[in-house]
Amino acid sequence: MKDKYVIGLILSIMISSCSSDNKIQKEPLSWPDATAPIAEEIAHVRIIHGDTVADPYYWMIDYFKKGPDSSKVVAYLEAENKYTEAMMKDTESFQDILFKEMKGRIKETDESVPYLRNGYYYYQRTEEGKQYFKLCRKKGSLDAKEEVLLDVDKMAEGFAYYAIGGATVSPDNKLLAFSVDTVSRREYVIQFKNLETGELLADKIVRTSGGAVWASDNKTIFYTSKNPVTLLSEKIKRHALGTDAASDAVVYEEKDNTNYIGVSKSKNDQYIFIYSGGTLSSETRYIKADEPNAEFKVFQARMKDVLYDVTPLADKFLIVTNDNAQNFKVMETPLDKTSKENWKEYIPHRKDVLVQGIDEFADYVAISERKNGLTQLAIRNLKDNSQHYLDFGEAAYTVYPSTNAEYNTDVLRYGYTSMVTPSSTFDYNMKTKEKTLMKQQEVLGGYDMKNYVTERVMAKSTDGTEVPISIVYKKGTKKDGTAPLLLYAYGSYGNSMDPSFSSSRLSLLDRGFIYALAHIRGGEEMGRQWYEDGKMMKKKNTFTDFIDCGKYLIDQKFTATEHLYAQGGSAGGLLMGAVINMSPEIWNGVIAQVPFVDVVNTMLDESIPLTTNEYDEWGNPNNKEAYDYMKSYSPYENIEAKEYPNLLVTTGLHDSQVQYFEPAKWVAKLRATKKGNNVILLKTDMDYGHGGASGRFDYLKDVALSYAFLFKLEGITK
């Protein structure tokens, strides 16, 4: 659930048949004569708050509860996969074309922009035909000999899934702590490598969140330990190299199961922080990095409905907080007096500007902000407190701090993109105000941004709120209601979906599709209130915003009902489920990826990973008011005997965020209840989890399937 999930609609080369000079070939829609699986119904009743609800597909939770012993669940999921394969059989060659087209846009032999950290330049590089990458460094100069710290291509051999969760070098540059997940449950094993000899140390730490923080002594690390059942981050532990991890000391245990916790180190290497926070409040503890055995001190005890985040400078701490400041403000306090009564205003609260975070340097701070729905960067000189903003020259874009590992530098590295501008990395000299483009994503096969148009429009929602929509399409696409349009959104956790470039999206645009991104409430695009108005007992605003964005795009002739499609994943999959219950008639097809659709049952079951962490987002259904409200919109609870749009649903058997049984139950109930002949397809990745395949090419097969589904509904065959 808690996941900024945007499936990679990314990468590919145009084939001649979809050139702007050629007419798109279309054929009438036809589906193969395949029989859809009918899921067994087994009596199960939920009774709470005097409300009795039958749930005949509850048995599908068995694989989660029992593991491989539940062969019935696996058999059902495999039957659904075979049905999806049969229904999409006539698109297989097209899917292969799409995959090769998108893969062909990727520069396979590539290298990231090196960054300097503690005397070494670090970078990743990829090789032609390889799915993963090599983590490398060079000492002192980019002309120095390359050291390969991790050859992930080689490490991943023999694994269906392989992900690196973190890689951190010790202060003396001699040891590497790194973590690996081979199951796709986001449970990482931390290991250690001697960078002088290349040997792996015997130490192994299981069931972690992946990150490791080094103390100054080069032998002590801190990490976050996970509960093996709920996957909650419950404890921060301390490990000394050469000792048994089973005996690691617990330096902090979180008692509030609605909070997430984590451990980090300040950029100036002076402090180690433990952060505990939920949606509404947070708390920070800290020690000096050169005193690893010290007891962590509370920076400021958690306060009701107050979030705060700490950044150390040479002479003070800066605190980003929403204490009496809905859009956050920045406070300062002495290094030896950290409690709230010592805080003084550093940057005041502004109603029209959301403060999102701070990147600190020896002489500057870079402040990430959001205004009028767009991201911006402010630079403040710590010597004279003067401040200026970077200018970007586009109406709709996304800018964000990139890797800024070095503390003693005047150079800020930032990333920049828009719906027509490929991802770009800039170095900005905060003293001279000079920008240097270090790298721009290369789109193989040729890409000219002048051939594409991006717009930003405002749709009026049901309650009169104006909702921004970012739009991109190929020049020459007609806005007369005949163009197919894919509308995407997320709308939860305050996660903003900002306009960005996707090379795989070109495969849609070049075939006549318009792509639109709805910045609906539940995100934070328009400030903190935008989020507050799209969660808990106001969650339905998220759904009505999206529906009204769809209707606006129809009214303005960007598309028409028979050509309008919707897509969302995870909490965005909840959005998909809700809008097809509320307004099924305006969508021709919907793609719901790893969708969170069984809200009530999941939020009632504390054994399911992340449930208790989510109470401040959705509510706790053990409370009757919250139960009644979430039941009124939960997609699984509100399926009715009516016509639904064509539906492609994807999930992963090992998903740790949204368990496989939610979409499986939802599909089974929809198929048993709906009217009409529109299809419902369920595709389960039996080897993967929430984010899909781990390789840099394999995920494109899922994108190709999604695109082929849309093209089939539009009768586009090439």
Side-chain angles (χ1 to χ4, degrees):
M1 287 172 279
K2 178 77 170 175
D3 193 51
K4 186 173 180 176
Y5 183 84
V6 192
I7 275 279
L9 296 172
I10 320 189
L11 304 140
S12 73
I13 92 174
M14 279 191 339
I15 54 176
S16 60
S17 60
C18 60
S19 152
S20 59
D21 296 328
N22 294 320
K23 186 175 181 180
I24 301 300
Q25 183 172 337
K26 293 194 175 187
E27 294 180 0
L29 174 66
S30 65
W31 293 102
D33 186 18
T35 302
I38 301 299
E40 181 181 357
E41 297 186 17
I42 300 175
H44 178 87
V45 174
R46 180 187 76 214
I47 302 174
I48 186 172
H49 304 305
D51 184 38
T52 301
V53 178
D55 186 1
Y57 305 109
Y58 183 82
W59 62 269
M60 291 188 187
I61 201 173
D62 277 4
Y63 186 89
F64 171 75
K65 297 287 188 181
K66 301 176 183 177
D69 293 339
S70 183
S71 58
K72 184 192 297 187
V73 174
V74 174
Y76 171 71
L77 296 176
E78 289 177 340
E80 287 284 3
N81 280 350
K82 289 178 181 177
Y83 174 66
T84 296
E85 183 180 355
M87 294 295 279
M88 296 296 291
K89 187 75 175 177
D90 59 339
T91 71
E92 283 184 353
S93 61
F94 192 16
Q95 288 183 53
D96 186 56
I97 289 171
L98 288 167
F99 171 76
K100 290 176 179 176
E101 178 180 309
M102 292 185 287
K103 182 173 179 285
R105 289 199 185 103
I106 300 174
K107 186 179 180 182
E108 295 195 24
T109 301
D110 204 359
E111 187 175 300
S112 66
V113 182
Y115 66 88
L116 183 64
R117 172 65 172 165
N118 197 21
Y120 283 80
Y121 286 94
Y122 291 88
Y123 57 96
Q124 293 181 8
R125 60 178 177 86
T126 55
E127 295 179 350
E128 185 173 355
K130 299 293 182 66
Q131 288 271 15
Y132 296 93
F133 63 91
K134 292 169 176 57
L135 176 63
C136 308
R137 72 177 182 180
K138 293 180 179 180
K139 185 175 182 179
S141 166
L142 292 175
D143 296 324
K145 181 182 177 181
E146 178 183 82
E147 295 179 54
V148 178
L149 308 186
L150 294 177
D151 185 343
V152 186
D153 292 305
K154 186 175 182 179
M155 295 162 66
E157 290 176 0
F159 292 95
Y161 181 92
Y162 199 89
I164 299 295
T168 312
V169 176
S170 60
D172 64 5
N173 294 315
K174 295 179 180 181
L175 297 169
L176 175 71
F178 67 97
S179 61
V180 173
D181 173 16
T182 59
V183 181
S184 191
R185 289 285 285 175
R186 301 188 184 183
E187 280 188 294
Y188 293 90
V189 177
I190 297 176
Q191 301 177 65
F192 300 87
K193 183 177 182 179
N194 185 319
L195 297 179
E196 294 181 318
T197 66
E199 295 177 331
L200 288 178
L201 277 61
D203 304 61
K204 280 192 176 182
I205 309 172
V206 300
R207 295 199 177 103
T208 79
S209 63
V213 173
W214 289 96
S216 301
D217 63 3
N218 301 295
K219 64 181 181 181
T220 305
I221 68 133
F222 296 87
Y223 64 94
T224 306
S225 176
K226 283 190 167 187
N227 181 297
V229 177
T230 65
L231 301 186
L232 293 179
S233 51
E234 291 182 332
K235 299 173 182 177
I236 304 297
K237 293 185 176 181
R238 183 181 63 231
H239 176 75
L241 291 181
T243 66
D244 184 355
S247 302
D248 286 352
V250 176
V251 297
Y252 178 69
E253 181 172 4
E254 179 55 60
K255 302 297 185 182
D256 184 345
N257 63 5
T258 67
N259 275 21
Y260 292 91
I261 63 172
V263 59
S264 64
K265 192 176 186 180
S266 61
K267 189 191 295 186
N268 65 8
D269 293 324
Q270 298 300 304
Y271 298 94
I272 293 173
F273 293 103
I274 292 174
Y275 179 86
S276 173
T279 303
L280 300 178
S281 67
S282 65
E283 185 175 69
T284 295
R285 287 170 164 76
Y286 68 107
I287 59 171
K288 290 285 189 68
D290 58 1
E291 299 175 0
N293 294 315
E295 184 175 347
F296 279 81
K297 295 183 291 185
V298 176
F299 189 91
Q300 162 59 46
R302 62 192 69 185
M303 301 172 278
K304 180 177 172 57
D305 298 334
V306 174
L307 295 164
Y308 73 91
D309 189 58
V310 178
T311 299
L313 301 181
D315 59 345
K316 60 192 168 190
F317 289 109
L318 296 183
I319 308 108
V320 178
T321 180
N322 66 345
D323 185 25
N324 293 314
Q326 185 177 55
N327 273 338
F328 292 81
K329 61 187 176 183
V330 183
M331 307 294 282
E332 62 177 313
T333 196
L335 294 176
D336 59 348
K337 296 179 180 179
T338 64
S339 55
K340 182 186 170 183
E341 63 267 19
N342 299 294
W343 297 2
K344 295 180 180 179
E345 189 175 88
Y346 186 71
I347 298 176
H349 175 256
R350 292 154 290 172
K351 290 184 178 180
D352 61 340
V353 176
L354 174 69
V355 179
Q356 296 186 300
I358 289 176
D359 273 73
E360 75 275 22
F361 301 87
D363 296 324
Y364 299 90
V365 290
I367 306 148
S368 298
E369 300 179 345
R370 185 179 293 275
K371 184 177 182 180
N372 296 327
L374 293 173
T375 50
Q376 60 186 26
L377 288 174
I379 308 299
R380 177 168 290 217
N381 187 314
L382 294 174
K383 294 180 179 178
D384 60 15
N385 278 330
S386 61
Q387 182 170 304
H388 68 275
Y389 285 86
L390 277 70
D391 178 58
F392 305 107
E394 280 193 271
Y397 62 87
T398 301
V399 66
Y400 52 91
S402 183
T403 304
N404 288 285
E406 191 70 10
Y407 180 68
N408 293 297
T409 180
D410 292 339
V411 177
L412 167 74
R413 178 162 293 172
Y414 69 88
Y416 180 86
T417 184
S418 75
M419 297 189 94
V420 297
T421 306
S423 297
S424 307
T425 300
F426 286 87
D427 276 358
Y428 178 72
N429 190 302
M430 295 178 282
K431 184 176 182 179
T432 65
K433 302 182 182 178
E434 293 176 323
K435 296 178 188 176
T436 303
L437 176 63
M438 303 301 292
K439 184 182 180 69
Q440 185 171 82
Q441 175 189 346
E442 186 175 344
V443 183
L444 299 187
Y447 168 73
D448 187 348
M449 64 184 294
K450 298 187 188 71
N451 292 332
Y452 300 86
V453 180
T454 182
E455 295 185 35
R456 190 173 179 86
V457 298
M458 303 295 286
K460 186 167 287 189
S461 190
T462 302
D463 63 1
T465 301
E466 289 196 324
V467 181
I469 310 174
S470 298
I471 302 171
V472 65
Y473 51 88
K474 191 164 189 179
K475 193 172 290 184
T477 301
K478 294 181 179 179
K479 289 189 282 186
D480 59 1
T482 62
L485 186 148
L486 178 60
L487 181 63
Y488 187 94
Y490 186 74
S492 289
Y493 304 108
N495 286 336
S496 299
M497 295 290 103
D498 292 312
S500 61
F501 180 78
S502 162
S503 65
S504 70
R505 190 191 297 143
L506 299 176
S507 293
L508 283 179
L509 306 184
D510 292 338
R511 290 175 173 86
F513 262 78
I514 297 172
Y515 180 86
L517 184 60
H519 305 287
I520 54 180
R521 283 175 285 186
E524 220 167 45
E525 286 92 335
M526 303 296 284
R528 184 71 177 182
Q529 189 65 50
W530 205 247
Y531 170 45
E532 298 289 345
D533 286 343
K535 72 181 185 75
M536 295 288 284
M537 307 302 281
K538 296 181 179 180
K539 189 62 201 172
K540 289 181 184 178
N541 285 335
T542 303
F543 314 138
T544 55
D545 280 0
F546 189 80
I547 292 168
D548 290 330
C549 285
K551 290 178 177 179
Y552 171 88
L553 293 167
I554 293 170
D555 291 342
Q556 297 300 309
K557 302 294 184 181
F558 282 94
T559 191
T561 297
E562 61 268 28
H563 301 298
L564 179 58
Y565 302 91
Q567 181 181 19
S570 195
L574 161 65
L575 172 69
M576 297 299 102
V579 302
I580 65 171
N581 281 335
M582 297 166 69
S583 294
E585 72 285 351
I586 70 170
W587 323 99
N588 188 37
V590 170
I591 300 172
Q593 299 156 304
V594 292
F596 172 42
V597 284
D598 193 10
V599 184
V600 177
N601 286 320
T602 290
M603 296 306 296
L604 281 168
D605 189 344
E606 294 188 10
S607 72
I608 294 175
L610 308 184
T611 288
T612 57
N613 282 144
E614 307 290 304
Y615 287 156
D616 289 339
E617 182 71 22
W618 314 105
N620 183 344
N622 293 295
N623 173 290
K624 186 177 186 305
E625 183 183 19
Y627 171 86
D628 289 342
Y629 186 75
M630 66 175 65
K631 186 188 175 190
S632 73
Y633 68 74
S634 176
Y636 184 66
E637 307 275 343
N638 290 281
I639 295 170
E640 297 176 337
K642 59 189 178 186
E643 290 195 25
Y644 282 88
N646 298 287
L647 194 61
L648 172 63
V649 184
T650 64
T651 187
L653 183 61
H654 302 292
D655 196 328
S656 61
Q657 307 296 106
V658 179
Q659 310 299 316
Y660 71 89
F661 50 80
E662 292 200 41
K665 290 171 60 180
W666 183 50
V667 164
K669 187 175 179 181
L670 274 168
R671 193 175 283 136
T673 309
K674 78 176 184 71
K675 293 181 177 180
N677 298 317
N678 284 345
V679 302
I680 301 176
L681 307 178
L682 173 63
K683 170 70 164 57
T684 303
D685 279 320
M686 305 304 283
D687 293 321
Y688 305 137
H690 200 63
S694 55
R696 62 185 177 124
F697 305 131
D698 282 346
Y699 81 96
L700 290 172
K701 295 175 182 176
D702 294 328
V703 180
L705 174 65
S706 296
Y707 284 6
F709 175 73
L710 297 174
F711 292 143
K712 184 175 178 67
L713 293 174
E714 278 296 308
I716 297 172
T717 58
K718 289 186 178 180

